[in-house]
Amino acid sequence: MRNIFHKIPWGILAGISGILTFYLIIGVYGAYFVFAQVNAQTGQIATIFDSWWQILLFIFAVLFAVIFVLTLTLFILKKIMNKKGAITYEEKSK
């Protein structure tokens, strides 16, 4: 289990999920803003759950935010373990 923990690049996964979270949140807000402006012209009210793709966009934003927090936590734990003198996978394979 420890070998698998050290093999996975948690920092890269945290970065990718962080970037995806950022753009998905911007997409949710942008879609809401555009639909709010359009619906305001016709006297209607817009929400972020008006259509199926807005709901899907919101679900992915929340999902990738959770993945970002988990991978960032594992990245920090890996760095702490390496500082305390734990043997890394690279050192063990030499």
Side-chain angles (χ1 to χ4, degrees), residues 38 49 89:
V38 170
F49 304 114
Y89 177 75

Side-chain angles (χ1 to χ4, degrees), residues 42-94:
T42 60
Q44 298 173 352
I45 297 174
T47 66
I48 61 171
F49 304 114
D50 282 341
S51 63
W52 66 270
W53 61 269
Q54 285 177 300
I55 296 169
L56 191 64
L57 195 66
F58 179 75
I59 289 171
F60 278 128
V62 171
L63 178 70
F64 276 102
V66 169
I67 291 171
F68 170 67
V69 169
L70 290 175
T71 54
L72 185 63
T73 303
L74 290 172
F75 173 71
I76 292 170
L77 285 175
K78 183 179 175 182
K79 288 295 181 183
I80 290 172
M81 285 176 58
N82 286 342
K83 264 197 171 176
K84 288 185 177 181
I87 299 173
T88 62
Y89 177 75
E90 291 83 15
E91 292 173 356
K92 189 176 180 181
S93 64
K94 287 183 181 179

Side-chain angles (χ1 to χ4, degrees), residues 13-26:
L13 293 176
I16 291 169
S17 60
I19 291 169
L20 285 172
T21 301
F22 174 75
Y23 283 116
L24 286 168
I25 289 173
I26 295 297

